[in-house]
Amino acid sequence: MKNELTHKLLKFIDASPTMFHATASCKQRLEEAQFSFLNPSTAWQLQVGGKYYTTMNDSAIIAFCIHSNDVETEGFKIIGTHGDVPGFRIKPHSQMQTENYIKLNTEGYGGPILSTWFDRPLSVAGRVALKSDNLLRPKTVLVDVNKPVLIIPNLAIHMNRDINNGVKINKQKDTLPILSYTNEPVSTNLMLDLLAKTLNVSAEDILDADLYLYPYEKGMRVGLNEEFISASRLDDLSMTYSGLEAILHASSSKGISMFVCYDNEEIGSHTKQGADSPYLIRTMERILLALGKEREALFMALENSFMLSGDVAHLSHPNYMEKSDPTNPVLPGKGPAIKVNANFSYTTDSDTYAVFAGICKAHDIPFQVFVNRSDERGGSTIGPVAASHLGIRSVDIGTPMLAMHSARELMAVDDFVYTVQAMKAFFSL
């Protein structure tokens, strides 16, 4: 099972270079498992025993299984993750020329470790808006160039003697990727032409695009016994895949099991498809209305609901153990981490900690605890944002990993597998 799960995770990540593609990858798996699509713009017809999914903006997705009609007392069991990753987005009118080099103007998205993007083969993927007969509804299609067309070269050490002493990187100057070079005048938009060729459409039909760079190298297992996973986008596609596996194998007989993968967590979640939106609670209300219930049932169900907020956690780094909390090291092979913060950057409290700990203990799944050093400011998750909208009990958990926000991240195979097992156990309650 371990090898098969890891292979499927790497395949999922490689097929998901952007949040749009991550949503499409989830849709494919759900449809293969006979989940029915619910169009947000039409009335929903639902029934007990049904399996459904719906999307927002092509970049966020909710899937759910209706186990019983007694949702008021049995509630929703929710796993929440996100599908966006830190990196670079290509700006409009991006083509730039310096002497005979052709490069692209980009903008940072989220908080990538900039140095890790240098000297890597990069490709381009995203969503393209095309002309249609309805001015209010352009046709949107996904695109993946799927070949190494860009690179951000380092400055040679001979020209930057301080590079190994730490150098400040300017995103407007230092991280612009090279696309080509030419000794002839350039009169066309090379990226636009590439998109048109990739999609087999006319360049004149392309109105706009959400395009992102991504590392072209594939994910793989590394280590003496292949005990680690090395890949791009483990934050947060490893948790997204774990939640997807859980909803595909949901075995509960109570309430509703629900998986939600949001967009835009890396930039604060303040979008219509982010956790700081009515997307989830509106979907929950529509489900209950489609089951013939009054709005009061929603508030009753929320009181009996629970959420696992799934976002990766930090492993203690063997070269920087002093950066981790002195009494709560997080180590590989010891299972998913429950994330705790006194100022509630994570949703966990003693009540919700006990729930996840109890699930793990009941299924012999190891788990550990992550807290930041008291003098270090940590990150945040979708948990506090979503829970503040829903007003439900929630715990933050994560598969621990090294090099978070690097162009290539690292986690233990065992910890990924334990996380999948814990999420499946949650959806068996």
Side-chain angles (χ1 to χ4, degrees), residues 188-204:
T188 61
N189 185 322
L190 299 181
M191 181 52 63
L192 184 64
D193 290 344
L194 178 60
L195 291 178
K197 180 180 179 181
T198 303
L199 293 171
N200 195 27
V201 300
S202 169
E204 289 73 26

Side-chain angles (χ1 to χ4, degrees), residues 65-78:
C65 303
I66 305 175
H67 305 299
S68 84
N69 197 43
D70 192 13
V71 188
E72 297 94 328
T73 58
E74 295 173 350
F76 292 83
K77 292 181 290 290
I78 304 167

Side-chain angles (χ1 to χ4, degrees), residues 77-285:
K77 292 181 290 290
I78 304 167
I79 293 175
T81 68
H82 66 90
D84 62 317
V85 297
F88 294 92
R89 177 174 169 167
I90 298 175
K91 288 183 177 180
H93 311 294
S94 62
Q95 189 164 298
M96 305 171 71
Q97 187 162 357
T98 302
E99 297 298 335
N100 66 343
Y101 291 104
I102 305 297
K103 59 186 181 180
L104 298 183
N105 193 10
T106 61
E107 183 176 9
Y109 177 87
I113 301 177
L114 298 177
S115 62
T116 64
W117 284 78
F118 286 85
D119 305 320
R120 288 185 182 275
L122 304 174
S123 192
V124 177
R127 181 179 65 173
V128 178
L130 302 172
K131 290 179 182 178
S132 76
D133 295 333
N134 185 347
L135 290 177
L136 288 175
R137 292 287 182 182
K139 180 183 178 182
T140 58
V141 294
L142 301 192
V143 65
D144 182 2
V145 172
N146 198 26
K147 59 182 181 180
V149 293
L150 294 162
I151 196 161
I152 306 170
N154 253 305
L155 183 62
I157 194 170
H158 313 81
M159 302 174 188
N160 187 4
R161 295 289 183 180
D162 291 328
I163 192 167
N164 291 328
N165 297 322
V167 173
K168 184 175 178 58
I169 298 172
N170 184 310
K171 281 184 278 191
Q172 184 58 70
K173 178 180 183 296
D174 301 325
T175 60
L176 303 185
I178 293 174
L179 177 64
S180 185
Y181 73 88
T182 178
N183 293 320
E184 304 294 332
V186 179
S187 59
T188 61
N189 185 322
L190 299 181
M191 181 52 63
L192 184 64
D193 290 344
L194 178 60
L195 291 178
K197 180 180 179 181
T198 303
L199 293 171
N200 195 27
V201 300
S202 169
E204 289 73 26
D205 288 339
I206 297 177
L207 300 174
D208 196 17
D210 305 296
L211 298 176
Y212 296 85
L213 309 186
Y214 71 91
Y216 184 71
E217 300 140 312
K218 306 303 182 186
M220 65 185 71
R221 291 175 64 168
V222 302
L224 181 63
N225 299 300
E226 296 188 338
E227 58 266 76
F228 292 104
I229 302 168
S230 171
S232 300
R233 303 182 293 281
L234 287 172
D235 175 11
D236 193 35
L237 293 190
S238 64
M239 300 298 293
T240 295
Y241 184 81
S242 299
L244 180 63
E245 276 287 309
I247 196 67
L248 290 172
H249 296 89
S251 59
S252 178
S253 61
K254 297 181 179 179
I256 295 176
S257 298
M258 178 175 281
F259 163 67
V260 53
C261 178
Y262 290 108
D263 191 7
N264 304 128
E265 188 276 341
E266 297 293 353
I267 56 170
S269 297
H270 308 303
T271 61
K272 66 183 181 300
Q273 59 273 1
D276 192 14
S277 76
Y279 179 42
L280 178 54
I281 195 166
R282 188 169 65 184
T283 301
M284 296 167 76
E285 184 172 1

Side-chain angles (χ1 to χ4, degrees), residues 14-62:
D14 289 341
S16 307
T18 72
M19 61 284 274
F20 305 108
H21 293 81
T23 298
S25 295
C26 289
K27 286 171 58 176
Q28 180 180 349
R29 289 290 309 281
L30 291 165
E31 289 180 355
E32 289 171 353
Q34 306 302 310
F35 279 68
S36 300
F37 174 66
L38 298 172
N39 190 328
S41 62
T42 62
W44 292 0
Q45 303 294 324
L46 308 180
Q47 61 185 11
V48 175
K51 303 184 295 183
Y52 307 93
Y53 78 93
T54 187
T55 61
M56 168 71 79
N57 189 55
D58 303 320
S59 63
I61 190 165
I62 293 175

Side-chain angles (χ1 to χ4, degrees), residues 76 100 322 371 392:
F76 292 83
N100 66 343
E322 72 279 3
V371 289
I392 66 173

